[in-house]
Amino acid sequence: MTRITRRAAMAGATLAPFAVARAQGNWPDRPVRLVVPFTPGGSTDILARAMGQRLAEIFGQPFVIENRPGAGGTLGSEQVFRSASDGHTLMMGHIGTLAANPALYRNLSFDIGAFVPVALVANVANFLVVTNRLEATDVRSLIALAKREPGRLTYGSGGNGSAAHISMVAFMEATGTEMTHVPYRGTGPMMTDLISGTIQLTMTGGPPALPPVRAGQLRALGISSLERLPAANEIPTIAEQGLPGFEAQQWYGIVAPPGTPGPLVARLNEACNRILGEAPFRARLETEGATAHPMTPAQFGAYIATERERWGALIRRANVTLG
């Protein structure tokens, strides 16, 4: 996590109340679009709907979730990027759309780095889950199986550049294995095929992974966080199964189009962090393998920059390009 100096933190805390006080007009004076650049059913969508519901209650206007999937989240991202910077269009971004895509898509017609960071919502541990038809019972046996038959095992993701995609790239690099990527148009349809056995594994967040695991439809081999999760303490970490230090968590946060006024961003950030501090909301996140991480907009921006460097380096090492 990006280290924030004491001086910067104090400056942010001092300026925030004045920024909020200067927030313009009666925003929001109409429904706010919260764009999810993926299909319904994945972690991005689930978290956006949870946050949108509470934001609507706080601001007295609907926060309408719009799913705009395509091209690893770049289609929806570009739509938000080119929207009016009046606070009525926002995006629930994540590790793929904000950190990995600049390296994956080298000919983008817009600057992902120009989005205005609003609030980090949550970190979500990935669950390495497999179809019940697969003979692997833990991480070590999965690695052994993948090494015996390079390329035979198929892993699914919510699309090229999705969090599941880049997390599996990290796993294959760490284990020296080769598996075949099967991208879908969203996490929902990918999970349907995984349960049926059409594909064999994935590494995805708790919101879509835990319900079928608990229902016995899938088998969880490990968690990508460094420590076990209280909500799923029976599932060992990947790190404790022969890969010490392995970590590949997802994260999700709200961003706004370039040029969105600072006072408006401060007001949104204040509301988001208020929600993340509410015990019922935090408990809801924890049951889905997510952890709230309130940040100022500046801290979130610094975190995105650090993650972009980290995942960009991995993508370049793995020579993964999508456009």
Side-chain angles (χ1 to χ4, degrees), residues 80-87 89-91 114-116 255-260:
V80 174
F81 183 90
R82 303 196 186 286
S83 296
S85 54
D86 60 4
T89 301
L90 306 169
M91 182 176 80
F115 277 113
V116 176
V255 296
T260 301

Coordinates of all heavy atoms in Angstrom, one line a residue, residues 80-87 89-91 114-116 255-260:
V80 N -17.2 7.1 -19.8 CA -17.1 7.9 -18.6 C -16.1 9.0 -18.8 O -16.3 10.2 -18.4 CB -16.8 7.1 -17.4 CG1 -16.6 8.0 -16.1 CG2 -17.9 6.1 -17.1
F81 N -14.9 8.7 -19.4 CA -13.8 9.6 -19.6 C -14.3 10.8 -20.4 O -14.0 12.0 -20.1 CB -12.7 8.9 -20.3 CG -11.5 9.8 -20.6 CD1 -10.5 9.9 -19.6 CD2 -11.4 10.6 -21.7 CE1 -9.4 10.7 -19.8 CE2 -10.3 11.4 -21.9 CZ -9.3 11.4 -21.0
R82 N -15.2 10.6 -21.4 CA -15.7 11.7 -22.2 C -17.0 12.3 -21.8 O -17.6 13.1 -22.5 CB -15.8 11.1 -23.7 CG -14.5 10.5 -24.2 CD -14.5 10.4 -25.7 NE -13.3 9.7 -26.1 CZ -12.0 10.2 -26.2 NH1 -11.9 11.5 -25.9 NH2 -11.0 9.6 -26.6
S83 N -17.5 11.9 -20.6 CA -18.7 12.5 -20.1 C -18.4 13.8 -19.4 O -17.3 14.2 -19.1 CB -19.3 11.5 -19.0 OG -19.7 10.3 -19.6
A84 N -19.5 14.6 -19.2 CA -19.4 15.9 -18.6 C -18.8 15.7 -17.2 O -19.1 14.8 -16.4 CB -20.8 16.5 -18.5
S85 N -18.0 16.7 -16.8 CA -17.3 16.6 -15.5 C -18.1 17.3 -14.4 O -17.6 18.2 -13.7 CB -15.9 17.2 -15.6 OG -16.0 18.5 -16.1
D86 N -19.4 17.0 -14.3 CA -20.3 17.7 -13.4 C -20.7 16.8 -12.3 O -21.6 17.2 -11.5 CB -21.5 18.3 -14.1 CG -22.4 17.1 -14.8 OD1 -22.0 16.0 -14.7 OD2 -23.3 17.5 -15.5
G87 N -20.1 15.7 -12.1 CA -20.4 14.8 -11.0 C -21.6 13.9 -11.2 O -21.9 13.1 -10.3
T89 N -21.8 11.7 -13.7 CA -21.3 10.4 -14.3 C -20.1 10.0 -13.5 O -19.1 10.7 -13.5 CB -21.1 10.5 -15.8 OG1 -22.2 10.9 -16.5 CG2 -20.6 9.2 -16.3
L90 N -20.1 8.8 -13.0 CA -19.0 8.2 -12.2 C -18.7 6.8 -12.7 O -19.5 6.3 -13.4 CB -19.2 8.2 -10.7 CG -19.7 9.5 -10.1 CD1 -20.2 9.3 -8.7 CD2 -18.5 10.5 -10.1
M91 N -17.6 6.2 -12.3 CA -17.3 4.9 -12.7 C -16.8 4.1 -11.5 O -16.0 4.6 -10.7 CB -16.3 4.8 -13.8 CG -16.0 3.3 -14.3 SD -14.9 3.3 -15.7 CE -13.3 3.5 -14.9
A114 N -5.8 10.1 -16.5 CA -6.4 11.4 -16.3 C -7.7 11.3 -15.5 O -8.3 12.4 -15.2 CB -6.7 12.1 -17.6
F115 N -8.2 10.1 -15.2 CA -9.4 10.0 -14.4 C -9.2 10.7 -13.0 O -8.0 10.7 -12.5 CB -9.8 8.6 -14.1 CG -10.6 7.9 -15.2 CD1 -10.1 6.9 -16.0 CD2 -11.9 8.4 -15.5 CE1 -10.8 6.3 -17.0 CE2 -12.7 7.8 -16.5 CZ -12.1 6.8 -17.3
V116 N -10.2 11.3 -12.4 CA -10.1 11.9 -11.1 C -10.4 10.9 -10.1 O -11.5 10.4 -10.0 CB -11.0 13.1 -11.0 CG1 -10.9 13.7 -9.6 CG2 -10.6 14.2 -12.0
V255 N -14.1 6.6 -9.6 CA -13.4 7.7 -10.2 C -14.4 8.5 -11.0 O -15.5 8.1 -11.3 CB -12.2 7.1 -11.2 CG1 -11.2 6.4 -10.4 CG2 -12.8 6.2 -12.3
A256 N -13.9 9.7 -11.4 CA -14.8 10.7 -12.1 C -14.1 11.1 -13.4 O -12.8 11.0 -13.5 CB -15.1 11.8 -11.2
P257 N -14.8 11.7 -14.3 CA -14.2 12.2 -15.6 C -13.1 13.3 -15.3 O -13.2 14.0 -14.2 CB -15.4 12.8 -16.4 CG -16.6 12.1 -15.8 CD -16.3 11.9 -14.4
P258 N -12.2 13.5 -16.2 CA -11.2 14.5 -16.0 C -11.9 15.9 -15.8 O -12.9 16.2 -16.5 CB -10.4 14.5 -17.3 CG -10.6 13.1 -17.8 CD -11.9 12.7 -17.4
G259 N -11.3 16.7 -15.0 CA -11.9 18.1 -14.8 C -13.0 18.2 -13.8 O -13.5 19.3 -13.5
T260 N -13.4 17.1 -13.1 CA -14.4 17.1 -12.1 C -13.9 18.0 -11.0 O -12.8 17.8 -10.5 CB -14.8 15.7 -11.6 OG1 -15.2 14.9 -12.7 CG2 -15.9 15.8 -10.5

